[in-house]
Amino acid sequence: MTPAVLYALTGLGLFVLGLYALIVHAHLLRKILAFNVMGSGVFLVLAGLAGRTASGIPDPVPHAMVITGIVVAVAATALALSLMLRVAGATGRARLPDEHER
Amino acid sequence: MDTAVWLQSGLTAPILLPLTGALLAFVMRRRATPIGLLSVVALLGAVILQVPSLFADGPQRLAIGGWGAPLGVDLYADGLSVAMLLMTAVVGLGISLYAAAYFRDTPARGQAFWPLWLLLLTALNALFLSADIFNLYVTLEILGLSAVALTAIAGGADALVGAMRYLLVSLLGSLAYLLGVALLYHAYGTVDIALLAERIAAEPATWAAMGLMSAGLMLKTALFPLHFWLPPAHASAAAPVSAALSALVVKGSFYLLVRLWIELFGEIAGGVATLLGLLGAAAVLWGSIQALIQTRLKLLIAYSTVAQIGYLFLAFPLAVGTGATAWSGALYLALSHALAKTAMFLVAGNLLRFGGHDRIADLDRVVQRLPLSMAAFALAGVSIMGLPPSGGFIGKWLLLEAALTEGRWGWAIVIILGGVLAATYVFKVVGYAFTQSENPHQAQPVPATMEWVAFALAVAAVLMGLIVSQPLIVLEIGNPFGIQAEVAVQ
């Protein structure tokens, strides 16, 4: 197993772990954290699988993508956190109500 | 040189105009409304000016800043892109005029609305013009985040919870899509759609990427059974926002799925097309039945959107063998649905403003008191049902033709049954609009602009059934649905 494959498999593992946490946890903060774990998994896949030239210089394109992705993730997390606070303020709980409760 | 510069401004204007407007509206909050209206009018002009040069020169490709693919981000416009741009600009102008009147009494919400709304238009236009699957990911995220924030400005627990659920779904869809992009880049070393189309092969990495990207986009498009988030979000938002979400935002991810399918995945997908079609058929039936049993008007319209999205997915199996007919039908349906569904949500906003509620059974003789709004609802209903002459009829007719020429009776039955169910739920609303309610209410005045905009959009949806050839010619510029899509690189 080459290091690249190891990184990619770890990334996929993080993605699946985050997806699992997103589904089972009800608290919104845990869901938001789960997204961050999933995102890190995708970034690890991108960076880990980046090709290398014969002289060992890594392909810069995936790294540019990861940086863009991190910017997007920060913005999304900020929006999610502020929305979570508003939901907690309006409903008294930082979780989504079940359909049959409403 | 001059033509090159002009071309460049022509292709980037639909992105830069609303973006500039969004920034200005954010900085100069007091003048947000005129800035917003001006940007949207300029946007419509810029898109219309683009059409003649597309007819003359065919599809256009622009390497931004002179960096071509594979390193740079290319913009690409063919008939399919321009048809979507036109739809966005026309519906966007209608929603903007409506919003200017709608938010007149709540200036704080209006000031929050305009920058987000212009940002949403920026993201949509960039989505329709990008030729690069990673740039498309960025546009998807901007689209999702601005749509979520717009949902939340209605305030109140329902809208906030709806927005939160929408955000979670939207982020999950984007991440699945991004993982697919990562796999495609690893396998083929490019994110440019045209280059990918040359290199793509039927192998495990492609199948995994196709599954992840399609699932992510299906979630964002709210295809049954991934539609659970749409009705609460679309029904709890402010009226102009509901209209934008149902008419435009779901079409963005649908457009992307169609584009990826035609260029990359269609030939290697096999049975997946049938699966998409079956989910679409289930959405048509389930969404229509759910719409029928709703007691609140906005939820009824939102479930109608779930059903109409189902129709769009019928094109995936029908396109196998008939190609352009099925795709044209689905896209025609998407364009006329945008007009009709905007009109419906704006009418719902008028009724909410008028009576203070949207309980269908308590619509108190609104036909006599808001005749223009109810006429708009009925006309939009004609297009949603698919009765002639209307855009909805043409779209469904093309889909039926694709089904019947291949002798696929099952799909044809779903198309007709969905139309009958749509007629039932539209008439349910219209029927209650004539009767007197047991709970008469204090009627509030509705600004004339809000009524006329809804009416004009509904009329446009019907007119789409009378001027069939022009939109279809625009759609076919550059042969976007050809089996062997010719990519003309300028």
Side-chain angles (χ1 to χ4, degrees):
Chain A
M1 186 183 282
T2 64
V5 174
L6 187 64
Y7 282 130
L9 287 180
T10 313
L12 281 180
L14 282 175
F15 187 88
V16 174
L17 207 62
L19 183 60
Y20 174 76
L22 176 71
I23 294 167
V24 299
H25 288 298
H27 197 285
L28 287 173
L29 187 57
R30 287 182 187 272
K31 284 190 187 286
I32 295 168
L33 288 174
F35 273 121
N36 281 277
V37 172
M38 288 175 77
S40 303
V42 177
F43 300 151
L44 198 58
V45 171
L46 262 173
L49 289 181
R52 281 165 199 275
T53 55
S55 54
I57 302 167
D59 178 4
V61 175
H63 298 93
M65 290 181 190
V66 169
I67 291 170
T68 315
I70 289 172
V71 173
V72 172
V74 168
T77 306
L79 178 65
L81 288 174
S82 62
L83 202 53
M84 180 189 84
L85 291 177
R86 295 292 301 276
V87 168
T91 65
R93 298 192 309 169
R95 56 183 61 201
L96 293 175
D98 290 330
E99 286 300 324
H100 52 81
E101 281 179 33
R102 301 166 71 212
Chain B
M1 259 323 262
D2 282 345
T3 35
V5 171
W6 194 84
L7 272 179
Q8 181 140 357
S9 65
L11 271 195
T12 52
I15 303 169
L16 292 181
L17 280 172
L19 180 61
T20 315
L23 298 176
L24 287 176
F26 181 70
V27 177
M28 295 190 267
R29 293 182 160 231
R30 296 250 175 100
R31 307 203 190 287
T33 309
I35 291 171
L37 289 174
L38 210 63
S39 313
V40 179
V41 171
L43 170 63
L44 181 59
V47 174
I48 290 175
L49 278 178
Q50 195 62 22
V51 176
S53 65
L54 268 171
F55 270 121
D57 307 333
Q60 294 166 5
R61 176 176 278 272
L62 172 71
I64 297 175
W67 296 88
L71 198 55
V73 176
D74 283 3
L75 295 185
Y76 177 73
D78 59 9
L80 177 56
S81 320
V82 169
M84 300 306 275
L85 287 178
L86 274 172
M87 167 192 88
T88 307
V90 170
V91 172
L93 180 61
I95 291 175
S96 301
L97 289 170
Y98 184 92
Y102 184 87
F103 289 113
R104 195 168 289 149
D105 304 330
T106 51
R109 280 189 193 160
Q111 285 171 9
F113 170 82
W114 287 105
L116 291 168
W117 162 236
L118 293 170
L119 206 55
L120 186 136
L121 290 176
T122 310
L124 269 175
N125 291 342
L127 179 97
F128 296 141
L129 286 170
S130 293
D132 173 318
I133 54 173
F134 184 77
N135 203 44
L136 283 164
Y137 159 73
V138 177
T139 62
L140 272 179
E141 284 285 35
I142 303 173
L143 183 64
L145 296 185
S146 49
V148 167
L150 276 173
T151 311
I153 59 171
D158 274 356
L160 290 170
V161 169
M164 191 74 219
R165 188 169 277 136
Y166 187 10
L167 177 62
L168 296 178
V169 164
S170 177
L171 289 178
L172 181 58
S174 310
L175 277 176
Y177 177 87
L178 184 61
L179 190 55
V181 173
L183 292 178
L184 283 184
Y185 184 81
H186 173 64
Y188 304 109
T190 180
V191 283
D192 185 75
I193 292 180
L195 289 177
L196 274 174
E198 290 169 11
R199 300 179 192 173
I200 204 155
E203 55 177 334
T206 313
W207 291 324
M210 177 176 74
L212 285 163
M213 294 166 92
S214 304
L217 293 172
M218 280 156 58
L219 190 60
K220 279 171 169 287
T221 317
L223 175 63
F224 179 90
L226 304 173
H227 67 283
F228 57 90
W229 59 271
L230 183 144
H234 287 201
S236 60
V241 176
S242 302
L245 296 180
S246 255
L248 301 177
V249 175
V250 289
K251 305 288 161 49
S253 41
F254 174 73
Y255 159 87
L256 183 48
L257 196 55
V258 170
R259 185 66 96 182
L260 292 178
W261 203 261
I262 293 170
E263 304 272 353
L264 302 180
F265 299 140
E267 286 175 31
I268 56 169
V272 185
T274 313
L275 176 67
L276 288 177
L278 286 174
L279 292 178
V284 169
L285 301 177
W286 177 255
S288 302
I289 290 168
Q290 284 294 317
L292 203 51
I293 61 174
Q294 294 304 314
T295 54
R296 284 186 47 214
L297 181 58
K298 286 190 81 170
L299 277 171
L300 181 147
I301 304 174
Y303 273 108
S304 156
T305 298
V306 172
Q308 299 297 312
I309 289 166
Y311 271 109
L312 306 182
F313 280 88
L314 296 181
F316 287 84
L318 291 177
V320 180
T322 57
T325 312
W327 290 126
S328 308
L331 267 301
Y332 212 89
L333 204 56
L335 300 178
S336 31
H337 174 254
L339 294 164
K341 195 45 65 78
T342 309
M344 278 195 166
F345 264 121
L346 298 186
V347 170
N350 292 348
L351 294 177
L352 256 172
R353 175 69 65 95
F354 179 74
H357 70 84
D358 69 340
R359 292 185 302 278
I360 298 167
D362 289 340
L363 293 175
D364 189 13
R365 289 173 293 129
V366 282
V367 163
Q368 292 148 42
R369 296 151 87 183
L370 290 177
L372 204 53
S373 288
M374 283 319 293
F377 190 88
L379 283 177
V382 166
S383 184
I384 297 285
M385 289 179 233
L387 293 181
S390 70
F393 169 72
I394 303 297
K396 286 183 186 173
W397 181 257
L398 288 171
L399 282 177
L400 260 182
E401 192 184 310
L404 293 181
T405 50
E406 295 279 306
R408 299 181 192 161
W409 293 96
W411 302 117
I413 289 169
V414 171
I415 294 170
I416 293 168
L417 204 56
V420 174
L421 286 169
T424 322
Y425 62 71
V426 170
F427 282 126
K428 173 182 163 186
V429 177
V430 175
Y432 276 113
F434 277 97
T435 53
Q436 191 159 6
S437 164
E438 288 167 8
N439 314 326
H441 38 59
Q442 292 295 317
Q444 302 292 320
V446 178
T449 326
M450 286 165 57
E451 291 212 77
W452 279 105
V453 168
F455 185 70
L457 287 169
V459 169
V462 172
L463 280 181
M464 286 279 287
L466 298 173
I467 47 150
V468 184
S469 53
Q470 288 91 334
L472 281 180
I473 292 171
V474 170
L475 259 180
E476 277 156 19
I477 296 173
N479 187 22
F481 309 125
I483 306 299
Q484 290 293 323
E486 288 294 322
V487 181
V489 181
Q490 304 268 332

